[in-house]
Amino acid sequence: MSVLFVTDPLQGLHPDIDASIGLMAATQAIGSDVWGCGPEDLSVATGRVRARATRIRLADRHRGNDHRWVVERDWWQEVDRRDLDVAADTDLVMLRIDPPVDARYLHTTYLLDLVETHGGCVANHPAGIRALHEKLLALQFPDLCPETVVTADPREVLDLLSRVGRAVVKPVDGFAGLDAWLLGADSCARSLAESATLGGRRHVIAQAYLEDVRRGNKRLFVLDGDVVGAVLRRPAADDFRIGPPMAQAEVDDDDRRIVAALAPLLGAHGISLAGLDVIAGRLIEVNVTCPGGMHKTDALLGTDLSGAVMRRLLLTESVPS
């Protein structure tokens, strides 16, 4: 079997923590060929998607003493290079480009639509990624979320602050915690709200800050509607944003209720793998573009989340309840 990983440049990936590398290693471990290419390596001729792809073999790895793997500096070597007919020559395409979902990302999804047209399999489905916005998807379930507004009007941000005291404000198209701010109801709030919204020209998400985040933000790893693992993450002492995984998280009734509510929507849009961020039983975000954290969690806890994902996608292995 062969899996094509469409990623950002291999040279720029971090083999000690990057989730895509963990999925590649798991693919290799079950005996499937690992191929890689970037969006710029995809093309279409006579209606069929082709990829200038490189088959790679990953170096050995072992767990470190935290959330990182110990991997050789030259973590992969080229085995073959070939022009692939993606639908005919691969069993699965893993769309693993990091957000934001910009023009480059969108154009890649449109090309990969044609892979599915010719009987190929892409995870997650390109059309599903376009349909389900990571930052806004959770708002389809307002009863599961903290109080939230999406607005370009700084006055509406200030109105929220007046009700909740503190709020996290981030751009709708943001990612990885970049340009995310914690606003309080103080003399700086108006200026910060105006800056965050670019004076009313940029939509932001403003969400009530949950003090319980100090006890942990859960990342729930959801595969085909099943929770296959969960990890606890906390902010650093000098930063309100979430840090790396720290401990195993217990999946409770609130988590199961959230997953049960989202699973039908995710399944209907072909989202096989998702990462749900939950604080104190409240849904914060649904990661569908390039869900991460599995590789770090496997290193930290000795789990096999990356393997579970690839075995399910390639071998239709059931996930234990």
Side-chain angles (χ1 to χ4, degrees):
M1 303 184 77
S2 297
V3 180
L4 175 65
F5 288 82
V6 182
T7 70
D8 298 304
L10 291 176
Q11 296 81 357
L13 301 183
H14 300 286
D16 56 342
I17 58 173
D18 196 294
S20 294
I21 307 302
L23 295 172
M24 291 178 183
T27 300
Q28 180 173 288
I30 61 178
S32 295
D33 292 340
V34 177
W35 292 83
C37 78
E40 65 281 357
D41 296 313
L42 298 173
S43 61
V44 178
T46 62
R48 301 193 68 89
V49 179
R50 306 198 68 85
R52 297 186 301 273
T54 302
R55 182 183 165 199
I56 66 173
R57 175 161 291 278
L58 281 71
D60 292 338
R61 64 195 50 238
H62 63 271
R63 291 173 58 202
N65 57 6
D66 57 7
H67 65 281
R68 296 177 180 270
W69 290 85
V70 178
V71 187
E72 296 179 21
R73 180 173 180 178
D74 297 325
W75 62 270
W76 64 276
Q77 67 179 55
E78 180 179 320
V79 176
D80 191 9
R81 186 174 295 178
R82 193 180 306 170
D83 186 22
L84 301 178
D85 179 321
V86 176
D89 296 336
T90 68
D91 298 282
L92 175 68
V93 178
M94 295 294 289
L95 177 53
R96 298 292 304 176
I97 311 169
D98 280 338
V101 181
D102 53 12
R104 171 177 176 262
Y105 201 118
L106 287 173
H107 295 163
T108 303
T109 69
Y110 288 123
L111 293 181
L112 293 180
D113 280 340
L114 295 173
V115 173
E116 296 191 324
T117 297
H118 290 283
C121 180
V122 183
N124 287 324
H125 283 202
I129 291 175
R130 293 195 299 270
L132 302 181
H133 190 288
E134 289 191 323
K135 295 289 191 296
L136 303 181
L137 172 56
L139 301 184
Q140 296 188 37
F141 305 88
D143 58 316
L144 301 178
C145 302
E147 185 173 356
T148 305
V149 297
V150 179
T151 183
D153 188 342
R155 293 171 299 182
E156 294 189 13
V157 175
L158 296 175
D159 286 344
L160 175 69
L161 278 176
S162 69
R163 295 191 299 274
V164 302
R166 291 205 289 177
V168 175
V169 179
K170 53 192 175 183
V172 168
D173 59 353
F175 62 100
L178 297 176
D179 216 8
W181 301 349
L182 178 60
L183 273 63
D186 54 38
S187 60
C188 298
R190 182 176 300 277
S191 174
L192 292 174
E194 290 171 352
S195 296
T197 61
L198 300 182
R201 300 189 306 276
R202 177 172 72 170
H203 276 88
V204 297
I205 299 171
Q207 193 165 65
Y209 176 72
L210 299 178
E211 297 289 346
D212 283 327
V213 71
R214 292 293 168 188
R215 291 197 287 271
N217 169 309
K218 290 184 187 179
R219 166 60 61 90
L220 305 178
F221 302 103
V222 177
L223 180 60
D224 290 337
D226 296 320
V227 180
V228 296
V231 69
L232 198 64
R233 306 171 300 172
R234 292 189 180 94
D238 58 351
D239 193 341
F240 73 94
R241 295 173 298 180
I242 298 302
M246 300 183 65
Q248 186 169 352
E250 179 183 352
V251 179
D252 59 26
D253 288 342
D254 286 333
D255 302 326
R256 285 186 279 269
R257 176 172 58 91
I258 290 170
V259 172
L262 266 70
L265 182 63
L266 296 175
H269 286 87
I271 302 300
S272 298
L273 178 61
L276 277 57
D277 294 338
V278 176
I279 300 173
R282 311 298 287 174
L283 178 62
I284 305 300
E285 193 169 305
V286 184
N287 298 272
V288 301
T289 56
C290 189
M294 296 86 68
H295 201 208
K296 295 178 182 178
T297 301
D298 287 344
L300 179 71
L301 302 177
T303 51
D304 187 26
L305 295 173
S306 299
V309 169
M310 297 312 302
R311 289 191 297 270
R312 167 71 74 92
L313 293 176
L314 286 172
L315 307 177
T316 63
E317 176 184 282
S318 62
V319 175
S321 58

